[in-house]
Amino acid sequence: MSISKSSNASKVLVLPLKTQKISSSATNKLPFTHNVTLTVSMAVGTPPQNVTMVLDTGSELSWLQCNTTRINQPVFYPNRSSSYKPIPCSSTTCTTRTQDFSIPASCDSKNLCHAILSYADASSSEGNLAMDKFSIAGSNFSDTIFGCMDSGFSSNLDEDSKTTGLMGMNRGSLSFVSQMGFKKFSYCISASDFSGILLFGESNFTWLLPLNYTPLIQISVPLPYFDRVAYTVQLEGIKVSEKILQLPKSIFEPDHTGAGQTMVDSGTQFTFLLGPAYTALKNEFINQTGRALRVLEDPDFVFQGAFDLCFLVPLHVTRLPDLPPVSLVFRGAEIKVSSERLLYRVPGEVRGNDSVHCFTFGNSDLLAIEAYIIGHHHQQNIWMEFDLQNSRIGVAQVQCDVAGQRFGIFH
């Protein structure tokens, strides 16, 4: 069945969210890439072609790899779809609805709408805007606008070899959720078996704990470093155990250029804090774990270019010691990061008889990112509701594998 946009306000779609492990080389300075991405599966075109897309609340335009010369890598074949329609550069879609792209859309030699997308990890994607039918959880969405990409630079070839593209889910007019007309979407990521659920529509279930809401921050005047279509919230403080870090409120406020916003981003694995906040958290975490953890004293080792606080854990140890939780305090809500989510074992990194575990909060300054970013690793076992109609994000602690079973989703 084909769904009209206006009818989606009351509809609910549920589909599995899968977590995909990406192998990475164990060099001293790893590129800023993700070892884990969240993916969803659907079908595109007529007849339908199965695709796997990375779920990204930090991006607007959804896109698929359309370069059919790629060997042993998933691609979408536009010439095999009778419902595929390229978008001309003279259309209003190309001239007005691409205004939030970091690089303006342009005309190619065939007078088609050409887009170049760039991302924080220095990867980019380039191709044409087009429309086709997307089939998701048994419902069809015709004339969905997406990018059919034929070139680009990737910072993670292994990730590219497993996914066909990216599902843009931010607040821009061309994002997947905006085009489908849903007023809300939610997801829940399991910490145990790397799976979860993605839900479009209402999530007011009796078994779900009451959600704590934090308002989305919006600005009326465009600022050069402020992403107006991101899910921006107000970070008000950081706690280690119950000790609140002594930081001025101004540290968490965007400056006059817009730099310093706090974004909730499912397309980023870990969490990044601006320099002063990161340094204060790092020092307090070391202070509170001094008896339980040994710091790796190696200034040349910086995991993924931004994580310079790492610890040595004996290889025979199967369970980490008790660690003080780190809480991100927002206006009206809190995200508490505890136990194994605080440290990440670096694949393949061994020092003598010790493995290397890095603190999962990174320093934005080391990557020249002018923002706080809350990654999906710290959203595990939290019901994350994006309420577009009321411009807010709701959070509640929940066992996501159990939540998935309630919807009949088993991985």
Side-chain angles (χ1 to χ4, degrees), residues 108-187:
D108 71 2
S109 57
K110 297 177 182 173
N111 286 326
L112 297 177
C113 190
H114 186 77
I116 301 173
L117 307 175
S118 58
Y119 299 95
D121 64 355
S123 62
S124 62
S125 194
E126 190 170 344
N128 292 111
L129 261 60
M131 292 191 290
D132 211 333
K133 182 174 75 175
F134 278 62
S135 303
I136 179 166
S139 297
N140 296 327
F141 300 90
S142 54
D143 292 341
T144 300
I145 299 161
F146 69 105
C148 199
M149 302 313 206
D150 52 21
S151 66
F153 166 76
S154 174
S155 63
N156 195 329
L157 295 174
D158 193 53
E159 178 180 317
D160 267 9
S161 68
K162 295 175 182 173
T163 58
T164 326
L166 179 142
M167 180 194 272
M169 291 286 283
N170 74 8
R171 304 167 77 193
S173 72
L174 288 180
S175 80
F176 199 77
V177 67
S178 296
Q179 287 191 63
M180 294 199 315
F182 282 103
K183 304 295 186 209
K184 278 183 187 176
F185 72 93
S186 310
Y187 56 74

Side-chain angles (χ1 to χ4, degrees), residues 20 39-42 50-54 64 74 162-166:
Q20 195 159 278
T39 64
V40 289
S41 298
M42 65 190 73
N50 292 328
V51 299
T52 300
M53 303 176 81
V54 174
L64 295 171
K162 295 175 182 173
T163 58
T164 326
L166 179 142

Side-chain angles (χ1 to χ4, degrees), residues 18-23 34-39 52 54 158-163 194 376:
K18 296 193 176 167
T19 331
Q20 195 159 278
K21 278 200 165 182
I22 307 295
S23 64
H34 317 310
N35 296 76
V36 174
T37 54
L38 305 174
T39 64
T52 300
V54 174
D158 193 53
E159 178 180 317
D160 267 9
S161 68
K162 295 175 182 173
T163 58
F194 293 121
H376 66 71

Side-chain angles (χ1 to χ4, degrees), residues 10 32 53 79 99 122 127 131 141 174 183 242 254 269 288 299:
S10 58
F32 168 47
M53 303 176 81
N79 58 341
Q99 61 195 19
M131 292 191 290
F141 300 90
L174 288 180
K183 304 295 186 209
E242 285 306 308
Q269 184 176 359
Q288 292 195 27

Side-chain angles (χ1 to χ4, degrees), residues 328-357:
L328 301 171
V329 182
F330 304 97
R331 189 177 299 160
E334 196 171 295
I335 288 180
K336 189 175 186 177
V337 181
S338 56
S339 57
E340 70 277 358
R341 286 183 295 148
L342 288 164
L343 298 182
Y344 181 80
R345 181 172 178 174
V346 181
E349 191 68 35
V350 177
R351 302 295 175 95
N353 293 318
D354 297 314
S355 56
V356 175
H357 293 244

